[in-house]
Amino acid sequence: MKSLTLRNKKTSWKRSQNIGLLYIAPWIIGFLVFQLYPFIVSLIYSFADFSIIKTPEFVGLKNYINLFTKDRLFYHSLKTTFIYVLIAVPGKLIFALIIALILNMKLKYINFYRTIYYMPSILGGSVAVSILWRFLFARNGLVNILLSKFSIAPIDWLGSPDVALYTISLLKVWQFGSSMVLFLAGLKQIPGELYEAAKVDGAGKIRTFFSVTLPLLTPIIFFNLIMQMVNAFQEFTSAFVVTQGGPLRSTYLYGLMLYEQGFRFLKMGYASAQSWILFIIIMAMTALVFKSSPYWTYYDDEGDF
Amino acid sequence: MRVIFKMKVAKINLHKVWVYLFLTLLGVVMVYPLLWLFASSIKPNQDIFLSMGLIPSKVVLDSYIKGWQGTGQYTYGVFFWNTFKMVVPTVAFTLISSVLVAYGFARFDFPLKKILFTLMLSTLMLPESVIIIPRYMLFRDLNWLDSYLPFTIPALFGTFSFFIFMLVQFIRGIPRELDESAFIDGCNSFDILVKIILPLSKPALFSAGIFQFIWRWNDFFNVLVYINSVSKYTLSLALRMSIDITQSVEWNQIMAMSVVTMIPPILVFFFAQKYFVEGIATTGLKG
């Protein structure tokens, strides 16, 4: 008798699996209303001439044609953004990796250093940090005062079109702590036996790094690379607050252009077309990283779900 | 033999000294700007751009008092309260919806689960800028603009897939036998969530809450798009406005207010550091 009720319970346990749909129901609604719907609508908008004050009017490919044939600012912004991404993302990740490797050398006070390095990441893309950057790199700001101590001529960090983009990128690299913490967590998970095996096999430090550490860390590097890239392509706050896209639009990042077109000039159809181009670029870059990943990432298990 | 051994030890120590020196120097470079910002906020205005030192020639708290007054009509007290009104419900709703959805994904085997899970993961890479314009129009039609509803309501519907993913990973690590024995003891699935999963997920929930708090607190782009009235400005918008309206010489007031807005995230970070590290270590991911 007892075993029968137990068996009944087991079958109802199996049957009750569908209740999972009820638990994920909030997400299904949220996904449809706040993500999928806007996603599709923005594609539709991109083929329309449309603003808040005007009803959408279908114009076919006109927005896209204008973008590619008439809009010089579009090309300029695209180029600026690519340079920004190419400096900021590898800069941040390489720095994060190097520091994580050093902190992983069985040193004391790791927690202290980790906390210190992580601090800037907490304040991340806030307006307060952008304001700090304005003061640090002002003509007579802290950085130039420091340079003058070494009798180096002051550099116009934010006022010179050749330098401003690097100054903005540096703000991103300054936040390397978030990636570093991830790399550290990944390094901790590498089993000690592997290092011992490498030692037994007579591998030197450099060999061990390239044959043990780096391969086992690649999934985390991979994930970080994609997420940082997606973020960097959309960077907005630093360009908006620190430099307002200037001087001479040298920091006119894509995010800033999108905001201006959509919410300042109210050309929402045009901005939607721009946002779709950004989307396609991000997807293409992600696909590139994914495609190349079998050559450089290593997964212990297949991560089956 | 002994001599060689000693030399080796000395060499290792010297090597470590260089490493510590480097790490400390880097730490100074990382944090000095923040300390300098704080120091400058209590310096007399004309001193800010003269010295790079941290010790003010004269401590001036005037900057905080004057800066706090904001526009005159609305003080920073209002902006702080607004930020809390936006951030706290958003964080709470994110946690509630994320844990429900994560529980559904982690523990049940329903039809289409794989596809739905993949869709959920793919939204991690959906750029915000692609959906912002239709979202804006949607919220306008719903009459939600210039309120905090564009932040709180989507959070209630699990739109922060990062946290769902994080919690799924965590819940999968809780042994299923616990659920099963509770079920045999007569608990339904919701009881299991409340009595077993929730208490065990505390560390992950904490770290999700902390991350979301800090990210929402610092958010600028979304508030810039959705909020228009100064009376509803959050700190990000208020700071940005202060740069525009403050006379160019009153730098220390802006610095003072920047410091003030940084305090809550930094406090949260220091008090909840343990959960930060645990959360990162258990999920292995952070953007």
Side-chain angles (χ1 to χ4, degrees):
Chain A
M1 191 61 200
K2 206 181 169 196
S3 70
L4 193 70
T5 49
L6 202 64
R7 196 186 301 155
N8 278 344
K9 282 214 160 182
K10 285 242 158 152
T11 41
S12 69
W13 169 259
K14 287 248 161 64
R15 247 179 235 153
S16 67
Q17 294 294 319
N18 282 347
I19 202 172
L21 279 168
L22 197 66
Y23 285 105
I24 68 159
W27 170 76
I28 294 180
I29 297 169
F31 171 70
L32 292 175
V33 177
F34 298 119
Q35 286 168 328
L36 189 63
Y37 165 79
F39 182 64
I40 292 166
V41 169
S42 107
L43 181 64
I44 297 170
Y45 283 170
S46 77
F47 298 110
D49 181 10
F50 147 72
S51 77
I52 305 179
I53 33 177
K54 204 162 91 187
T55 46
E57 185 193 327
F58 184 75
V59 292
L61 285 170
K62 196 178 149 212
N63 287 332
Y64 290 96
I65 292 169
N66 281 351
L67 265 178
F68 284 108
T69 55
K70 289 185 185 154
D71 196 340
R72 278 199 180 167
L73 219 48
F74 165 74
Y75 281 111
H76 172 75
S77 177
L78 205 58
K79 192 181 119 196
T80 310
T81 310
F82 265 106
I83 297 172
Y84 172 77
V85 172
L86 283 177
I87 302 168
V89 176
K92 182 177 178 177
L93 291 186
I94 291 169
F95 210 61
L97 185 60
I98 292 172
I99 303 301
L101 286 171
I102 294 176
L103 284 186
N104 200 42
M105 292 192 329
K106 294 196 181 77
L107 299 171
K108 283 178 191 165
Y109 320 114
I110 290 182
N111 289 350
F112 170 74
Y113 287 114
R114 192 177 53 195
T115 306
I116 294 285
Y117 299 159
Y118 196 80
M119 271 254 285
S121 303
I122 309 232
L123 306 163
S126 69
V127 174
V129 160
S130 292
I131 289 175
L132 169 63
W133 229 242
R134 271 171 72 148
F135 286 119
L136 280 182
F137 291 96
R139 263 188 210 94
N140 47 1
L142 179 67
V143 177
N144 276 343
I145 299 176
L146 180 69
L147 288 182
S148 70
K149 305 265 178 210
F150 298 97
S151 9
I152 299 170
I155 296 168
D156 201 353
W157 297 98
L158 296 170
S160 153
D162 301 324
V163 188
L165 191 58
Y166 295 94
T167 313
I168 299 280
S169 310
L170 200 61
L171 178 51
K172 199 85 175 174
V173 180
W174 186 54
Q175 297 160 29
F176 75 90
S178 56
S179 303
M180 177 204 71
V181 169
L182 272 187
F183 289 145
L184 259 180
L187 286 170
K188 289 246 151 57
Q189 278 164 10
I190 298 176
E193 302 100 66
L194 289 180
Y195 287 117
E196 274 161 36
K199 212 173 183 181
V200 171
D201 289 348
K205 270 187 183 165
I206 293 166
R207 182 74 204 277
T208 311
F209 173 74
F210 282 106
S211 331
V212 177
T213 315
L214 205 56
L216 285 168
L217 211 56
T218 45
I220 296 176
I221 298 177
F222 175 68
F223 175 81
N224 250 293
L225 184 62
I226 290 180
M227 293 314 277
Q228 295 296 338
M229 223 169 57
V230 174
N231 281 334
F233 267 113
Q234 299 182 81
E235 178 62 35
F236 174 75
T237 308
S238 59
F240 187 78
V241 179
V242 184
T243 52
Q244 293 100 42
L248 299 174
R249 297 201 188 270
S250 59
T251 56
Y252 195 58
L253 294 182
Y254 210 93
L256 193 55
M257 177 175 70
L258 273 175
Y259 174 78
E260 285 199 333
Q261 292 292 342
F263 296 100
R264 191 170 285 169
F265 310 140
L266 304 179
K267 287 157 78 179
M268 293 183 140
Y270 197 63
S272 296
Q274 288 181 331
S275 75
W276 266 81
I277 290 170
L278 179 68
F279 177 68
I280 290 164
I281 291 170
I282 289 178
M283 285 302 110
M285 299 292 281
T286 308
L288 202 73
V289 177
F290 261 108
K291 278 257 174 193
S292 69
S293 76
Y295 300 105
W296 58 275
T297 54
Y298 167 87
Y299 285 96
D300 201 18
D301 56 348
E302 290 304 301
D304 192 38
F305 186 74
Chain B
M1 191 67 190
R2 228 195 191 156
V3 177
I4 294 170
F5 182 68
K6 258 192 188 161
M7 268 170 65
K8 240 187 176 174
V9 171
K11 202 176 147 200
I12 289 170
N13 280 340
L14 195 68
H15 172 73
K16 285 221 163 156
V17 166
W18 282 111
V19 172
Y20 280 117
L21 202 66
F22 170 73
L23 290 177
T24 309
L25 211 68
L26 182 67
V28 171
V29 171
M30 294 293 288
V31 178
Y32 200 88
L34 294 170
L35 296 175
W36 178 76
L37 183 73
F38 173 69
S40 300
S41 73
I42 51 173
K43 280 178 188 172
N45 224 328
Q46 62 273 17
D47 287 5
I48 293 176
F49 292 122
L50 288 178
S51 75
M52 50 181 289
L54 293 181
I55 297 149
S57 62
K58 197 175 92 192
V59 174
V60 185
L61 292 175
D62 208 38
S63 51
Y64 282 84
I65 296 161
K66 279 195 184 150
W68 188 263
Q69 285 162 358
T71 61
Q73 196 182 357
Y74 302 104
T75 65
Y76 267 76
V78 174
F79 302 136
F80 250 94
W81 179 234
N82 286 343
T83 312
F84 276 110
K85 275 196 291 192
M86 178 192 82
V87 171
V88 174
T90 305
V91 172
F93 291 166
T94 304
L95 290 183
I96 294 168
S97 66
S98 300
V99 82
L100 281 174
V101 176
Y103 177 57
F105 274 124
R107 280 302 199 249
F108 301 94
D109 218 3
F110 44 84
L112 298 179
K113 177 174 153 176
K114 272 201 170 172
I115 296 173
L116 291 172
F117 190 73
T118 312
L119 272 178
M120 198 271 293
L121 280 187
S122 66
T123 61
L124 271 179
M125 282 188 298
L126 179 65
E128 204 173 32
S129 39
V130 176
I131 53 174
I132 189 89
I133 288 170
R135 266 195 180 189
Y136 179 86
M137 300 307 286
L138 176 71
F139 294 147
R140 190 196 62 154
D141 295 340
L142 290 168
N143 237 335
W144 287 2
L145 291 184
D146 211 19
S147 80
Y148 305 126
L149 293 173
F151 306 91
T152 51
I153 303 299
L156 200 54
F157 288 96
T159 45
F160 290 98
S161 37
F162 174 77
F163 298 112
I164 299 178
F165 179 58
M166 179 173 163
L167 289 167
V168 166
Q169 295 289 84
F170 192 87
I171 293 173
R172 283 169 75 191
I174 300 174
R176 262 176 195 263
E177 290 80 45
L178 293 178
D179 301 29
E180 265 178 66
S181 55
F183 179 75
I184 288 162
D185 287 347
C187 286
N188 63 31
S189 64
F190 191 72
D191 292 335
I192 294 172
L193 172 64
V194 174
K195 288 180 184 157
I196 294 178
I197 304 292
L198 273 186
L200 289 172
S201 307
K202 255 190 210 157
L205 284 169
F206 261 110
S207 59
I210 293 159
F211 276 125
Q212 181 67 328
F213 177 84
I214 290 172
W215 289 344
R216 290 309 107 207
W217 187 274
N218 290 336
D219 180 28
F220 175 59
F221 184 65
N222 289 294
V223 284
L224 183 68
V225 169
Y226 296 131
I227 306 291
N228 317 315
S229 335
V230 180
S231 64
K232 286 170 186 157
Y233 268 19
T234 61
L235 288 167
S236 304
L237 291 173
L239 265 182
R240 151 97 187 111
M241 180 181 59
S242 293
I243 319 175
D244 289 344
I245 63 167
T246 311
Q247 283 163 355
S248 53
V249 279
E250 314 286 4
W251 292 125
N252 59 2
Q253 285 180 30
I254 292 177
M255 287 175 149
M257 289 306 105
S258 298
V259 170
V260 164
T261 65
M262 286 176 177
I263 290 173
I266 290 183
L267 277 184
V268 166
F269 173 62
F270 275 107
F271 281 113
Q273 251 202 82
K274 198 180 118 202
Y275 294 107
F276 252 96
V277 177
E278 267 179 36
I280 293 162
T282 49
T283 58
L285 303 169
K286 203 224 138 237

